[in-house]
Amino acid sequence: MTESPLTTGQRVSSIAHDFGVFRALTARGMMRMRRIPALIIPAIMMPMFFVIAFSGSFSALANVEGFPTPRVINWMVPYAILQGASFAGMGAAGGTATDIEGGFFDRLLLAPCRRPILMVGPLGYSALRSLIPTTLVLLLSLALGADLPGGALGLLCLYVAAVGVALLFGTLGLAFVYKFRSLKSLSIVQIFIFGFMFLSIGQVPLALQSGWLQHAARLNPMTNILRLSRQGFLGHVTWHGTWPGLVAIAGLVLGFGAVAYRNLRRIVP
Amino acid sequence: MSNAPIEARGLVRSFGDVKAVEGVDLTVAEGEVFGFLGPNGAGKSTTVRMLVTLLRPTAGTARVAGFDVVRDAHQVRRAIGVALQDAAIDPLMTGNELVRLQAVLHGIPRRVAEARGAELLERVGLTGAADRRVGTYSGGMRRRLDLALALVHEPKVLFLDEPTTGLDPTSRVSLWEEVRRLNTELGTTVFLTTQYLEEADELAHRIAIIDGGRIVREGIPAELKASVGAPTLKVDVALASVDAARSVLAQFGAERPARAGRIAIGLPEGAAQMPAVVRALDDAGVRVSHLELDSPSLDDVFADATGRRLEGADE
Amino acid sequence: MTATVVEASPCRAGAIAQAYELARRSTVNMWRQPQAWAPGLFFPLMLTAVYAAQFAKAIHQPGFPPVDSYLDFVLPASVLQAVAFGATGGAAELAKDIENGFFDRLVTSPVSRVSILVGRIAGSAIFAGFQAGLIMVLLIAFGVTIKGGVASAAVIMITAVLLALGIGGLGLVLALRSGSQEIVQSTFPVLFVLLFVSGTFWPTSLMKGWYGNVARHNPITWIIEPLRELVIEGWSWGSAGRALGITFGLAVFTTSLAFATMRARLRRL
Ligand SMILES: Nc1ncnc2c1ncn2[C@@H]1O[C@H](COP(=O)(O)OP(=O)(O)OP(=O)(O)O)[C@@H](O)[C@H]1O
Ligand SMILES: [Mg+2]
């Protein structure tokens, strides 16, 4: 037997190993995205269009009593950005579904790292890539006349909310993909995104809504996340406007994450 | 339990109503090349996937490298290298990128990984293609890359699921040589599935034949062949005289499975009986177009165990 | 397929019978695949319900047409949106036939060439009429009054059929030129943009700046506005004529283009 560094037991420590796998999986996602730009382009174009279309179509909302800002675009930007982030966030699930269908996921499952890392790695990719539409849509909106009276803190809230939304739909997507093992199952996640985003204060504040929608939007955790992302565009950042959004993100990510993890562990020991 | 690198007891796996594996027991000794032989759908891949922790067994237990494949899956993964039947490869990545990723997945320090990756790619003849995307590789190149990847972390136990299916004869022989080298130089225990009798005969110290989810024979190839006993006499005749030939041949030995137009029997005394057989056929007016006497092969072992021949293995 | 073929050079009656047979086949096919058409009904209805609730208060502002509820305003938009969702279905089927070679078998059989195309879009068109009727019935159940009465409802239905032919014809042109389902389906975002940057969901008179200008010059607006007058103001020959005229013109133009493209494609064979 020849002696090699490996047979003498040389491996990195367990924490360094897990972190290395996390970093490699995130980087692999970004690499795939660079090689197939079509994976990210819709998540950029769609929110850009939403900013233009929503603030153009509904510019007259500013005349309605109770609408919180004279600039309708300020109201619409965070909504469009969170839409973009939600689609960008599905990247984790899309990549994993492709891996499962193509068999590559077996290679990842065979890695002697802790199982949650196999989830967290792609989510890192989701979070990272959600910064792309967020930043581009923000720049476009500023060029179109949006402003950010909440300053740097407002900006931070926007980015935290966008990354949070990417993570939460990323975990939801993983929960479906681990269960159904197909790319197709992601169309169900799109319906979830549609519901979460639509039955909220996306386009119109609670005060202007009526009946059933108002009830639904009040209960929808996305409403709190939208408030978090939007406060810097409407005025100053307050703790009161911040913590409910953070709680909503943490709650949903952990909840969906638990389901996803359970589904992953059903596949393999 | 013993210290055998691979040991399965009563492994069962069903998919809904389909019973893919129905109670497999096997033990592979340290340093052995173990051949797992069976036709399509026999349950080879399902067994391998359970042994390498990719599939939960429905029932039964297995230990690999001394660890339980369900309870200590983590330790099992550290000890094994795996090349699955459908090479698990991302067409968007280059060979080098995959080798680097594989090293990270197995917690190998970068400087070790660099040298080892280059050496492995060299050995499987992919140095020139290392910076090309795997999507542009031929089927054989993918399999060779897959093998290199399985070896990056120098596993003590190597699982190869049909490693030579789809390879041309030259690539097949060079893969055999590589497996032999790993086994003799590094002492790697190899669990290899195949549909090719020749491959099992050539490489394996011991084999098991699986059919319909059950192991039907197990042992050292030479002993298995000897156990079938008599050599096989194969006689090709015109379709019209098959029945006549059959009744003549029945006097000399028990009939064995064969393809249409051919009759095979076990000939207890081998070549010594040949003149008598030929004379008897001639007396009965049977026109023989081809006649051969084969010493027992693994195919005979398979036929003896299952009543069928392995497809395409007849010639 | 060739079972319906009676003679090598089909007379007119034969062509009609064949077109009927192919139309029946595509309608039945569509009916059997709810996943293909259900989203085209569900999403527009969902959007209608949400918009009605979120704009409940915003319609009471100067410049908004006098309506009891946003539903009155949006009825024609819901119909056209549903039609736009489903109109390229027939063309996508044709592209699929081209992709898998069925089309080549069809054109080498003595089935009349006209009936191949007609059969493909007739299914979508019939379905559009059905969608229009269903949506009107639902909205009437939720309190909408079509002031122009039955005649206006009939005009809306016919407009829907004509628009489906118009969009479907365009889809056929793309299908025949590209032979790719993906390209036919890529028209969807374009339709979506056209629908949004128009008077579909909001009066163009209340849109400011360049956006308002674009919306006012969008052909979708020219179709929607007269239909809306039929619903919220009452019957008028002028409005009916405008809506029907534009969609009829579009339908004739794109279907002729489709036939020309078909001839060109067959010459290339
Ligand atoms: N995921 C699955 N779901 C349902 N049935 C399965 C699944 N995997 C395998 N099977 C069934 O189990 C049986 C054994 O399959 P397996 O892949 O283990 O055979 P194999 O011996 O590897 O065959 P091959 O030589 O074709 O690779 C087959 O009948 C197969 O259809
Ligand atoms: Mg197999």
Side-chain angles (χ1 to χ4, degrees):
Chain A
M1 266 222 226
T2 47
E3 285 292 305
S4 87
L6 288 176
T7 42
T8 55
Q10 191 179 29
R11 292 204 197 211
V12 297
S13 73
S14 150
I15 290 179
H17 180 191
D18 286 347
F19 182 73
V21 174
F22 165 75
R23 213 179 42 186
L25 294 183
T26 299
R28 175 163 169 263
M30 297 303 278
M31 177 277 291
R32 288 178 61 88
M33 192 184 77
R34 274 198 308 278
R35 293 184 186 170
I36 315 180
L39 290 177
I40 184 76
I41 285 172
I44 297 174
M45 301 303 286
M46 186 195 58
M48 285 189 162
F49 172 70
F50 282 171
V51 164
I52 298 171
F54 293 162
S55 41
S57 288
F58 307 128
S59 56
L61 281 176
N63 308 334
V64 184
E65 198 177 308
F67 197 77
T69 166
R71 293 179 191 230
V72 171
I73 191 169
N74 275 12
W75 180 262
M76 298 297 176
V77 173
Y79 180 51
I81 283 181
L82 294 198
Q83 292 263 17
S86 65
F87 278 93
M90 295 234 294
T96 300
T98 310
D99 281 349
I100 289 179
E101 289 187 346
F104 195 80
F105 197 59
D106 287 337
R107 185 176 300 287
L108 305 183
L109 287 173
L110 284 167
C113 63
R114 271 176 266 262
R115 299 295 90 178
I117 300 295
L118 299 183
M119 265 175 71
V120 178
L123 287 173
Y125 159 57
S126 274
L128 209 55
R129 82 182 202 139
S130 72
L131 301 179
I132 300 169
T134 302
T135 306
L136 293 178
V137 174
L138 182 68
L139 291 177
L140 172 75
S141 310
L142 294 176
L144 289 175
D147 67 355
L148 199 73
L153 265 183
L155 197 64
L156 182 67
C157 287
L158 176 73
Y159 273 92
V160 167
V163 169
V165 163
L167 289 178
L168 86 86
F169 285 116
T171 35
L172 181 65
L174 285 177
F176 274 91
V177 165
Y178 291 151
K179 171 112 187 131
F180 298 106
R181 326 204 75 194
S182 78
L183 206 51
K184 259 199 190 144
S185 61
L186 285 183
S187 51
I188 310 173
V189 181
Q190 276 168 351
I191 294 176
F192 271 90
I193 294 183
F194 187 78
F196 267 111
M197 287 291 173
F198 233 57
L199 310 179
S200 72
I201 54 166
Q203 292 186 332
V204 164
L206 274 185
L208 299 193
Q209 301 180 354
S210 79
W212 67 274
L213 181 63
Q214 204 179 35
H215 288 296
R218 213 189 290 278
L219 293 176
N220 183 351
M222 194 53 70
T223 292
N224 288 332
I225 305 176
L226 275 159
R227 284 201 184 111
L228 164 69
S229 69
R230 202 172 254 158
Q231 47 182 340
F233 288 86
L234 303 182
H236 290 293
V237 172
T238 62
W239 178 237
H240 177 69
T242 306
W243 71 263
L246 296 179
V247 170
I249 291 173
L252 289 173
V253 170
L254 290 177
F256 293 153
V259 178
Y261 187 62
R262 197 198 54 190
N263 291 350
L264 172 64
R265 292 314 292 259
R266 286 217 175 131
I267 305 180
V268 289
Chain B
M1 275 197 171
S2 67
N3 283 329
I6 303 173
E7 187 164 41
R9 289 290 165 264
L11 266 192
V12 173
R13 173 72 205 204
S14 15
F15 299 100
D17 292 339
V18 181
K19 285 208 152 186
V21 173
E22 299 191 57
V24 160
D25 296 290
L26 50 83
T27 307
V28 178
E30 172 117 37
E32 202 166 55
V33 176
F34 187 81
F36 203 46
L37 186 66
N40 286 132
K44 301 184 294 292
S45 297
T46 307
T47 307
V48 168
R49 292 179 72 83
M50 287 191 281
L51 293 176
V52 302
T53 79
L54 284 177
L55 202 61
R56 283 177 185 276
T58 308
T61 58
R63 294 172 74 81
V64 171
F67 300 101
D68 186 277
V69 294
V70 175
R71 266 178 299 128
D72 308 315
H74 187 84
Q75 266 83 3
V76 172
R77 291 183 190 118
R78 287 178 72 106
I80 61 174
V82 181
L84 293 171
Q85 185 170 1
D86 303 305
I89 265 169
D90 179 354
L92 287 179
M93 297 174 79
T94 68
N96 265 331
E97 285 169 342
L98 268 168
V99 171
R100 243 174 277 142
L101 177 64
Q102 181 79 0
V104 175
L105 288 175
H106 285 271
I108 295 163
R110 177 175 305 179
R111 79 202 135 67
V112 181
E114 294 285 327
R116 197 121 172 83
E119 178 205 324
L120 282 170
L121 287 174
E122 173 82 56
R123 185 161 316 132
V124 296
L126 287 175
T127 308
D131 285 317
R132 260 168 53 196
R133 288 197 194 171
V134 176
T136 67
Y137 283 19
S138 73
M141 291 165 82
R142 284 175 204 220
R143 299 231 65 135
R144 282 184 276 146
L145 176 62
D146 201 22
L147 177 68
L149 292 174
L151 300 175
V152 165
H153 55 293
E154 300 197 332
K156 290 198 290 256
V157 184
L158 182 63
F159 289 87
L160 304 173
D161 194 359
E162 300 198 17
T164 61
T165 302
L167 292 193
D168 61 33
T170 328
S171 313
R172 178 170 301 171
V173 170
S174 73
L175 192 129
W176 288 352
E177 276 162 13
E178 180 62 21
V179 170
R180 241 182 245 119
R181 193 194 65 82
L182 286 165
N183 178 250
T184 50
E185 286 182 20
L186 301 175
T188 312
T189 305
V190 181
F191 186 100
L192 165 126
T193 81
T194 181
Q195 311 183 24
Y196 302 117
L197 299 154
E198 186 197 0
E199 184 162 301
D201 223 351
E202 182 80 21
L203 273 182
H205 303 131
R206 239 153 36 82
I207 65 162
I209 296 177
I210 183 171
D211 187 45
R214 293 177 197 278
I215 292 187
V216 290
R217 284 287 186 284
E218 191 187 338
I220 296 165
E223 288 176 8
L224 285 173
K225 284 184 270 188
S227 75
V228 184
T232 306
L233 172 68
K234 298 168 180 170
V235 183
D236 290 4
V237 295
L239 227 45
S241 40
V242 164
D243 288 332
R246 182 167 282 139
S247 61
V248 171
L249 290 170
Q251 305 159 12
F252 294 93
E255 183 162 356
R256 289 182 175 172
R259 63 165 166 77
R262 166 170 290 187
I263 303 156
I265 59 165
L267 204 58
E269 282 156 50
Q273 277 179 297
M274 284 296 272
V277 172
V278 174
R279 233 176 289 127
L281 285 169
D282 197 36
D283 291 346
V286 175
R287 291 196 45 149
V288 173
S289 60
H290 178 90
L291 184 132
E292 69 187 58
L293 183 67
D294 285 350
S295 42
S297 70
L298 278 181
D299 196 30
D300 298 315
V301 177
F302 184 83
D304 186 52
T306 67
R308 285 175 289 121
R309 297 229 164 242
L310 260 181
E311 204 176 18
D314 204 354
E315 295 330 304
Chain C
M1 197 59 254
T2 42
T4 59
V5 176
V6 192
E7 54 219 312
S9 66
C11 66
R12 194 148 293 270
I16 289 172
Q18 287 165 358
Y20 170 78
E21 181 52 36
L22 288 168
R24 201 186 58 82
R25 192 183 74 124
S26 72
T27 315
V28 169
N29 266 349
M30 200 153 156
W31 195 245
R32 284 199 191 126
Q33 302 174 4
Q35 74 277 15
W37 54 263
L41 263 178
F42 173 78
F43 282 101
L45 283 172
M46 179 82 193
L47 199 68
T48 303
V50 171
Y51 274 19
Q54 76 177 20
F55 294 139
K57 302 211 170 97
I59 58 175
H60 305 298
Q61 63 165 290
F64 202 94
V67 287
D68 296 333
S69 110
Y70 181 79
L71 283 183
D72 296 310
F73 176 84
V74 85
L75 181 142
S78 307
V79 170
L80 294 201
Q81 204 198 355
V83 169
F85 257 99
T88 49
E93 288 281 312
L94 179 73
K96 191 164 134 200
D97 283 352
I98 295 177
E99 275 175 9
N100 64 25
F102 181 68
F103 179 81
D104 289 334
R105 271 204 288 143
L106 210 54
V107 293
T108 48
S109 78
V111 172
S112 125
R113 274 89 203 262
V114 175
S115 59
I116 294 175
L117 291 195
V118 173
R120 274 295 169 220
I121 46 174
S124 304
I126 294 166
F127 186 68
F130 163 77
Q131 277 178 310
L134 186 70
I135 290 174
M136 284 192 283
V137 168
L138 276 173
L139 294 196
I140 288 170
F142 277 93
V144 170
T145 347
I146 300 179
K147 293 251 174 64
V150 178
S152 298
V155 169
I156 292 175
M157 230 157 139
I158 299 169
T159 307
V161 170
L162 290 173
L163 186 65
L165 286 175
I167 297 173
L170 205 60
L172 289 183
V173 173
L174 289 175
L176 288 165
R177 285 188 152 247
S178 68
S180 135
Q181 284 190 82
E182 213 179 335
I183 292 205
V184 174
Q185 262 140 12
S186 70
T187 53
F188 181 73
V190 179
L191 280 176
F192 185 81
V193 168
L194 270 179
L195 265 175
F196 232 99
V197 189
S198 77
T200 309
F201 299 109
W202 203 251
T204 52
S205 56
L206 288 177
M207 296 176 189
K208 288 187 226 136
W210 66 267
Y211 192 89
N213 272 329
V214 173
R216 280 184 284 276
H217 290 94
N218 182 340
I220 301 278
T221 307
W222 304 338
I223 304 170
I224 289 270
E225 285 187 339
L227 292 182
R228 186 168 285 144
E229 285 158 21
L230 292 174
V231 176
I232 63 185
E233 285 168 20
W235 175 259
S236 115
W237 284 105
S239 304
R242 263 194 296 155
L244 292 175
I246 293 171
T247 43
F248 182 74
L250 179 72
V252 169
F253 174 69
T254 62
T255 42
S256 330
L257 200 61
F259 285 120
T261 313
M262 173 88 152
R263 270 194 297 277
R265 187 185 169 95
L266 292 180
R267 253 197 313 276
R268 264 186 292 143
L269 284 181

